[in-house]
Amino acid sequence: MGDKILIGDGRMKKRTRYEPNEIILHENYAEILLYNRQGKVTHSAFIDLEDVERVNKYTWGRSANQYVECRELNIYLHRFIMNCPKDMEVDHINHNGLDNRKENLRIVTHKQNKFNNPILSTNTSGVTGVSWSKQKNKWRAYITIDDKQKSLGYYFNKEDAIKARKEAEEKYFGEFRNKE
């Protein structure tokens, strides 16, 4: 795992992001080293061992939106691994765009993919769909269904608002809900 690679005539040259990725095999998964423009390792992506041979034919890098992409194929690693149809999406169940093991990926509709959104950085309650209402001086629970916000009620206790939200997620989102 260096910043120089050996070329055919035995000389060393500086690695670039266009060189083949180094792949490290572990017991249950493989780790793809991702490089920046200077040839330095910046991130690692994870895949199943069974995908190494197929993935190793291409050069992979980290995209601006935090996924792993192959510019020569114009495809994201998660879509490549899952052979995802164009009209579907691939959900990273644990929200980690670098974890491309099949146990963390599932093919879903756009609507289903939105059910598993991570907590927004602007969230102050720590739970999606739960916020403090200054007007009512209570915790508010809500859920968004088909781009329409549905109120789940106001609660004196934050835990009650969280419980209402979690029950609604189970009811409306089922297996696609965010389980964090």
Side-chain angles (χ1 to χ4, degrees):
M1 192 168 61
D3 58 356
K4 293 193 186 257
I5 60 172
L6 188 64
I7 56 177
D9 61 5
R11 290 180 293 135
M12 299 294 281
K13 76 171 194 164
K14 186 172 172 52
R15 176 183 289 282
T16 70
R17 68 178 174 172
Y18 304 105
E19 307 296 335
N21 300 84
E22 183 177 344
I23 298 181
I24 301 168
L25 303 179
H26 297 277
E27 187 175 331
N28 298 318
Y29 67 96
E31 180 180 1
I32 304 171
L33 301 183
L34 305 175
Y35 306 95
N36 64 11
R37 291 176 196 257
Q38 293 74 37
K40 300 284 184 192
V41 174
T42 58
H43 296 87
S44 292
F46 307 108
I47 61 172
D48 292 312
L49 293 172
E50 66 190 48
D51 295 317
V52 169
E53 187 175 330
R54 194 167 153 236
V55 167
N56 200 30
K57 295 175 184 173
Y58 305 100
T59 302
W60 301 90
R62 187 139 189 235
S63 69
N65 62 1
Q66 313 305 310
Y67 292 116
V68 180
E69 69 179 341
C70 175
R71 287 193 180 97
E72 57 195 298
L73 296 178
N74 193 30
I75 192 169
Y76 289 120
L77 181 58
H78 54 273
R79 294 186 68 82
F80 180 79
I81 286 173
M82 296 298 287
N83 294 311
C84 186
K86 292 201 182 302
D87 63 334
M88 300 293 281
E89 296 181 7
V90 178
D91 179 27
H92 285 82
I93 298 166
N94 69 5
H95 306 130
N96 180 353
L98 296 173
D99 185 351
N100 292 280
R101 296 171 297 146
K102 289 184 187 87
E103 70 186 38
N104 184 48
L105 303 175
R106 60 185 168 196
I107 295 176
V108 296
T109 64
H110 178 69
K111 181 178 179 178
Q112 291 166 332
N113 202 11
K114 289 172 68 175
F115 294 160
N116 188 29
N117 282 340
I119 295 174
L120 297 175
S121 61
T122 55
N123 183 300
T124 56
S125 73
V127 178
T128 298
V130 175
S131 61
W132 178 253
S133 170
K134 290 179 184 176
Q135 296 85 2
K136 299 203 183 252
N137 207 29
K138 293 180 183 176
W139 289 98
R140 176 177 177 251
Y142 59 93
I143 194 162
T144 303
I145 309 292
D146 295 326
D147 295 323
K148 293 180 183 149
Q149 201 174 91
K150 176 180 174 61
S151 178
L152 302 172
Y154 292 87
Y155 302 88
F156 287 108
N157 295 318
K158 181 179 176 183
E159 292 73 27
D160 292 338
I162 292 170
K163 182 177 184 238
R165 168 61 192 213
K166 295 299 179 192
E167 287 172 356
E169 285 177 7
E170 196 160 322
K171 175 181 176 183
Y172 293 108
F173 301 165
E175 69 175 291
F176 301 104
R177 70 188 182 281
N178 183 346
K179 295 178 182 150
E180 289 184 345

